[in-house]
Amino acid sequence: AQSVAQPEDQVNVAEGNPLTVKCTYSVSGNPYLFWYVQYPNRGLQFLLKYITGDNLVKGSYGFEAEFNKSQTSFHPKKPSALVSDSALYFCAAYSLYGNNRLAFGKGNQVVVIP
Amino acid sequence: NAGVTQTPKFQVLKTGQSMTLQCAQDMNHEYMSWYRQDPGMGLRLIHYSVGAGITDQGEVPNGYNVSRSTTEDFPLRLLSAAPSQTSVYFCASSYSPGGGTDTQYFGPGTRLTVL
């Protein structure tokens, strides 16, 4: 079955510094990879995804991520963090050869310090 | 276009009570699912549906029932509430019936406390 690892529980970054959130995955076959962001007391919102094609994808809120098949990673990056980027970030993975379930990671709490 | 709606937003139950969490979407999506979110555990799939009349179990189905009589609605029933079911519940939908091949649209969540 597919699985996702988000190794850091919390990421602290100063406003204006680069922000990276990390995710590695394990699936059979080609992965479908997603990132969602949850602002306080809100539902999850789509951030970006990799399905096929160009390894570099652009998403919402100024994020972009590079799909790295050899390292089984998909890390969203933003060149200059804003205080409004403070939120809970979830990585998710799916495979057509899995158990028909979208597997979510445990989440990364991002705190942008003014 | 309201997207995915959930009711109620908050609910407090006593152990042993039953209730239904409502979920509706107006995007004509085939795939609908229920997740629970617990601190440090991410989102765990409870039940899902790939179309009207078709449902299946997810990762943590015990204590919950679902049905899908229409494309729009996917209610989640707690049969006999237990404190372990205290959680935040999210309903999600996507256009593709493949489940994880498409962007998921999430509702605002229901915060449930079982005393």
Side-chain angles (χ1 to χ4, degrees):
Chain A
Q2 53 271 29
S3 65
V4 169
Q6 294 184 248
E8 300 167 317
D9 290 337
Q10 182 162 317
V11 175
N12 296 326
V13 60
E15 186 177 24
N17 281 4
L19 168 61
T20 299
V21 198
K22 295 181 180 178
C23 170
T24 58
Y25 65 90
S26 174
V27 303
S28 299
N30 294 323
Y32 295 75
L33 301 170
F34 301 85
W35 276 93
Y36 293 91
V37 58
Q38 184 180 29
Y39 298 101
N41 299 314
R42 303 284 297 276
L44 279 72
Q45 301 176 29
F46 170 74
L47 188 64
L48 44 70
K49 67 181 177 183
Y50 172 80
I51 303 296
T52 187
D54 195 347
N55 288 346
L56 185 64
V57 297
K58 294 186 184 297
S60 308
Y61 309 114
F63 282 89
E64 66 177 31
E66 184 172 10
F67 170 64
N68 189 319
K69 188 171 184 178
S70 63
Q71 297 185 5
T72 62
S73 67
F74 188 54
H75 307 325
K77 300 179 182 180
K78 185 170 183 177
S80 179
L82 302 172
V83 172
S84 58
D85 292 325
S86 298
L88 191 55
Y89 290 76
F90 288 99
C91 182
Y94 180 84
S95 167
L96 293 175
Y97 301 99
N99 54 9
N100 201 28
R101 298 171 188 170
L102 181 62
F104 279 85
K106 294 183 178 181
N108 286 124
Q109 182 67 54
V110 170
V111 178
V112 181
I113 303 163
Chain B
N1 192 333
V4 180
T5 58
Q6 290 183 238
T7 56
K9 290 187 177 180
F10 302 95
Q11 183 70 47
V12 179
L13 292 178
K14 294 181 179 179
T15 297
Q17 287 184 315
S18 62
M19 79 159 295
T20 299
L21 279 63
Q22 301 292 344
C23 174
Q25 52 90 9
D26 62 358
M27 298 174 282
N28 202 32
H29 284 173
E30 292 291 337
Y31 185 88
M32 296 187 73
S33 56
W34 277 101
Y35 291 90
R36 58 177 291 172
Q37 181 183 21
D38 301 292
M41 302 190 73
L43 274 74
R44 293 182 293 169
L45 182 64
I46 304 172
H47 285 285
Y48 66 95
S49 169
V50 299
I54 306 170
T55 64
D56 205 348
Q57 295 181 350
E59 182 183 357
V60 288
N62 292 341
Y64 307 95
N65 271 357
V66 292
S67 60
R68 183 98 179 267
S69 57
T70 67
T71 298
E72 294 78 19
D73 300 299
F74 191 45
L76 177 72
R77 281 181 288 278
L78 279 70
L79 308 173
S80 177
S84 60
Q85 294 179 305
T86 294
S87 186
V88 180
Y89 291 84
F90 289 102
C91 179
S93 73
S94 67
Y95 178 75
S96 168
T101 60
D102 208 353
T103 301
Q104 303 291 311
Y105 293 80
F106 286 86
T110 295
R111 186 174 295 272
L112 175 68
T113 301
V114 182
L115 302 175

